[in-house]
Amino acid sequence: MGIKKIKREIKINTYLVTFTYETYKGYYREQQRLIKGFNKEDVKEFFLKWSKDIRTMTNAKILGIDELKENTEVVEI
């Protein structure tokens, strides 16, 4: 009797995050970043932590999070 492997997959999606922020000099900026994650909530948490570490950004606000379907990675465990 042999041992059978149960295949497990993890899907890692790529999200396009559109956000605005102000610089310390008072200028208004809008940018986009690609962030990989499991779902939108995971990406939102990561972005908020990341934005607090950037010293030239203040009042960062997310305008939208869009999933890019063609950039989904599947990792087998």
Side-chain angles (χ1 to χ4, degrees):
M1 189 167 180
I3 298 175
K4 292 186 178 182
K5 182 179 178 184
I6 299 173
K7 293 184 180 180
R8 300 191 72 189
E9 296 178 345
I10 296 176
K11 290 185 180 179
I12 301 173
N13 300 318
T14 303
Y15 293 90
L16 179 67
V17 179
T18 305
F19 62 98
T20 61
Y21 67 95
E22 292 179 26
T23 64
Y24 279 107
K25 293 185 177 182
Y27 297 109
Y28 174 84
R29 302 276 191 258
E30 184 173 317
Q31 289 186 358
Q32 295 179 327
R33 297 275 185 216
L34 292 175
I35 300 176
K36 292 185 179 188
F38 300 116
N39 55 34
K40 285 186 179 184
E41 291 300 317
D42 188 35
V43 170
K44 184 177 179 180
E45 280 182 36
F46 178 78
F47 174 81
L48 293 175
K49 287 179 186 176
W50 173 79
S51 67
K52 290 178 183 176
D53 291 338
I54 305 300
R55 58 177 214 194
T56 57
M57 287 183 6
T58 61
N59 299 330
K61 296 178 185 167
I62 297 174
L63 297 177
I65 300 175
D66 299 318
E67 181 180 352
L68 303 177
K69 298 280 185 186
E70 64 273 359
N71 292 343
T72 301
E73 295 178 26
V74 177
V75 179
E76 288 188 21
I77 299 176

